[in-house]
Amino acid sequence: DIQLTQSPSFLSASVGDRVTITCRASQGISSYLAWYQQKPGTAPQLLIYAASALQTGVPSRFSGSGSGTEFTLTISSLQPEDFATYYCQELNTYGYTFGQGTKLEIK
Amino acid sequence: QVQLVQSGAEVRKPGASVKVSCQASGYTFTNYAMHWVRQAPGQRLEWMGWFNPGSGHKRYSQNFQGRITITSDTSASTAYMELSSLRSEDTAVYFCARLTRTGTYPALDYWGQGTLVTVSS
């Protein structure tokens, strides 16, 4: 199975900050990568698919980039509702692996 | 609007089985594959398998081979995930999620609310 490694695992930031989360794949997955946001006690929500396409209804402060083995999720100006855990997922193979998550906390 | 509504929390003893349901509404059930993902307390999301109610095709993660069965009842627009030979490590929240494709690119766009399964003697 493909392994996905996110960095950092924990991130402390303030409202208004620009933050970037990285997801590295153990082998190339083209652009078959999605990003999800999960708040405590709730199901994940799709933010980005195809590595850089914004899901309908997701604020434009979220953006994704990358291809192959390295991907990034950027939040341009953090809002209070953005403090959550973020996961990447590969959908190129039948493993559908998730990264270990990045917990974004308020500084 | 698309909704996935899962069955309620379950408690099982080690060695038992559990069957979780996921009722879909707001779209044509047979046009989308349904995936199952679990999350143990404080852990990452773990993909378990998928089932296509239109074709009957399915695929399971090797981590659950031999213990998992995913099925559906198209007349009720409901997907099911059954996990057998439960052990304490299977204590987790289990989610169903619909797979959508935009062009060739898939993603899990709608999720159920989750079902807590607790395995304890």
Side-chain angles (χ1 to χ4, degrees), chain A residues 42-105:
Chain A
T42 69
Q45 288 194 310
L46 177 64
L47 299 175
I48 302 284
Y49 64 92
S52 60
L54 194 67
Q55 172 69 354
T56 302
V58 174
S60 59
R61 62 181 180 272
F62 291 91
S63 63
S65 65
S67 174
T69 61
E70 186 151 335
F71 304 85
T72 59
L73 172 71
T74 299
I75 310 172
S76 60
S77 178
L78 275 173
Q79 299 302 301
E81 60 268 28
D82 300 337
F83 292 94
T85 300
Y86 293 84
Y87 293 94
C88 56
Q89 183 195 22
E90 69 88 5
L91 300 107
N92 184 57
T93 72
Y94 290 116
Y96 296 99
T97 307
F98 289 90
Q100 84 276 18
T102 295
K103 187 173 183 179
L104 179 53
E105 298 179 325

Side-chain angles (χ1 to χ4, degrees), chain A residues 36 38 87 94-95 98 100, chain B residues 39 44 47 59 104 108 112:
Chain A
Y36 302 88
Q38 187 180 32
Y87 293 94
Y94 290 116
F98 289 90
Q100 84 276 18
Chain B
Q39 187 171 40
R44 75 171 72 187
W47 180 78
R59 192 170 187 100
T104 63
L108 300 174

Side-chain angles (χ1 to χ4, degrees), chain B residues 2-76:
Chain B
V2 174
Q3 280 194 302
L4 301 177
V5 179
Q6 298 183 224
S7 49
E10 305 271 12
V11 179
R12 294 287 186 273
K13 293 189 183 303
S17 298
V18 70
K19 191 171 186 176
V20 179
S21 68
C22 170
Q23 183 169 37
S25 61
Y27 70 97
T28 303
F29 181 66
T30 51
N31 285 357
Y32 295 82
M34 193 71 78
H35 288 235
W36 290 85
V37 175
R38 78 175 185 180
Q39 187 171 40
Q43 301 301 308
R44 75 171 72 187
L45 300 165
E46 181 178 21
W47 180 78
M48 301 179 72
W50 62 261
F51 182 86
N52 188 320
S55 65
H57 293 160
K58 66 188 78 173
R59 192 170 187 100
Y60 302 141
S61 166
Q62 289 191 336
N63 294 339
F64 301 97
Q65 285 284 0
R67 293 205 299 140
I68 188 172
T69 305
I70 301 176
T71 57
S72 74
D73 178 351
T74 55
S75 66

